[in-house]
Amino acid sequence: MDRNSLLPKARPASRRPLQGAFRSTAGRQRLLDLCAVLLFLLLLPYACSLLFGKGDVGEETLAVPRDESSIMVACDTGIGVSRLPLETYVEGALAASIPADCEEETLKAQAIILRTLCMRAYENRQSIDDNTVYARDIGQEYLDMRSREALWEDSYEEKQAKIASAAAQTKGMYMTWEGQIIEPAYFWLSAGKTRNGKEVFGEGYDYLISVDCSHDIEASGYSSTVTLKEKDFWAAMGVDGSEKITLTRDSAGYVLWVEAAGIHMSGEKFRSLFSLQSACFTISENGGNVTLESKGVGHGLGFCQFEANRRAVQGEDFLALLHVFFEGVEIQKTE
């Protein structure tokens, strides 16, 4: 027998294994191409932000709270209505509500006042299932970063650092009186002393006491005048020029009521009607003109920022300042 017949016969080469290898390689390549496309799509927004994100776009980076049940504040910003975490709002509201040149302790006290207003609005919200309060209910506007830069210009970094520090160091702090969140009014400059809350609002505002602020007379802009023609004044009042006007004042000298025949309006409404700086005003007539002279800046209730800052310069801390203007309050802290 031929020896070669005992050897295994060589099989003719087959193309199938080679074709399978090509198909496997092509499949992997298609998978890699697909992954590359998906990766490109995922990175496209980031790439665009790198290329175009430094333009003049009205955007602000905001911290988003991990706990979505925490208090949020809806307010107008440079990019429309935004929902901001409570502490983010407090910082921006602080920038809008008091000069950043004030002492650090004054800024801390103001931050607690603003947070208290937020907590009060949150407590009085219409739906307990809603964790959002509105800046219009709080009564204080918000300045976003772009607005702060425009306001402070070259001193932006210094003033922003002060504002951010005051908000951060008082994080979560707010005021209560007899277990209830207070309504902590504030203003810039008094007519000589702050007003008594019970005289203005009645019961329940015992913490708004009258505080001596006699140094306020030294401030720039302490007094101002508005002069009108008699006919324009009476036309704005809506009464005959022959009518006698009676002013009812509180113990701090602010006008509570303005009365004439057919007219009974609050001193604050009168102040708004004639764009006066405060409701501590006098009315005088001379040579066909009416002169309205006002003293102080603001409604005169609660925290007088000018006097508080004077005390802060002398060494009083933010807790002492708050207890001066809000008698008997306690400082609470959110969790």
Side-chain angles (χ1 to χ4, degrees), residues 57-311:
V57 180
E59 295 183 352
E60 179 178 7
T61 301
L62 301 174
V64 177
R66 294 181 180 179
D67 182 7
E68 189 58 28
S69 65
S70 60
I71 300 175
M72 305 290 286
V73 180
C75 61
D76 293 325
T77 69
I79 57 175
V81 178
S82 298
R83 288 178 72 247
L84 310 174
L86 172 62
E87 294 301 329
T88 301
Y89 167 79
V90 168
E91 181 183 310
L94 184 59
S97 64
I98 189 171
D101 294 326
C102 286
E103 296 293 306
E104 184 177 11
E105 297 304 304
T106 312
L107 297 177
K108 289 180 187 178
Q110 180 70 14
I112 293 176
I113 290 171
L114 293 169
R115 193 176 295 104
T116 303
L117 286 170
C118 293
M119 296 298 294
R120 184 179 177 88
Y122 181 75
E123 185 179 60
N124 295 331
R125 68 195 188 282
Q126 293 184 349
S127 172
I128 61 173
D129 296 325
D130 188 0
N131 70 336
T132 302
V133 295
Y134 296 87
R136 62 176 177 269
D137 297 326
I138 297 169
Q140 175 57 57
E141 66 178 19
Y142 168 89
L143 285 185
D144 59 21
M145 289 295 189
R146 189 174 296 275
S147 299
R148 287 175 238 176
E149 288 180 17
L151 176 65
W152 295 327
E153 298 180 336
D154 293 341
S155 58
Y156 165 75
E157 291 187 4
E158 176 188 353
K159 292 182 177 181
Q160 171 57 26
K162 286 183 64 179
I163 291 292
S165 175
Q169 290 187 59
T170 60
K171 181 178 180 180
M173 296 183 186
Y174 64 98
M175 291 180 286
T176 62
W177 178 73
E178 295 189 350
Q180 301 296 318
I181 299 175
I182 70 168
E183 187 173 351
Y186 62 91
F187 65 101
W188 172 241
L189 186 67
S190 80
K193 58 182 177 180
T194 64
R195 306 171 72 178
N196 187 298
K198 292 180 68 175
E199 293 180 357
V200 180
F201 300 123
E203 296 298 326
Y205 292 87
D206 303 59
Y207 52 85
L208 292 177
I209 59 172
S210 183
V211 177
D212 177 69
C213 301
S214 53
H215 289 276
D216 285 8
I217 193 173
E218 303 166 4
S220 174
Y222 170 75
S223 64
S224 64
T225 59
V226 172
T227 302
L228 307 92
K229 296 292 185 181
E230 279 192 30
K231 63 176 183 178
D232 294 331
F233 172 78
W234 293 114
M237 289 287 291
V239 296
D240 187 276
S242 62
E243 298 295 339
K244 179 181 179 181
I245 295 179
T246 301
L247 305 179
T248 303
R249 300 180 184 275
D250 62 17
S251 59
Y254 289 77
V255 175
L256 288 170
W257 300 107
V258 179
E259 295 177 283
I263 294 294
H264 180 78
M265 71 173 70
S266 69
E268 286 298 318
K269 184 176 180 179
F270 183 95
R271 169 197 171 191
S272 177
L273 183 63
F274 294 103
S275 300
L276 304 181
Q277 289 194 151
S278 86
C280 182
F281 58 82
T282 57
I283 305 174
S284 61
E285 299 178 54
N286 183 23
N289 292 325
V290 173
T291 299
L292 308 173
E293 182 179 5
S294 60
K295 298 177 181 179
V297 179
H299 50 59
L301 284 156
F303 189 72
C304 176
Q305 294 172 335
F306 185 87
E307 171 64 13
N309 200 59
R310 187 188 70 82
R311 290 169 178 256

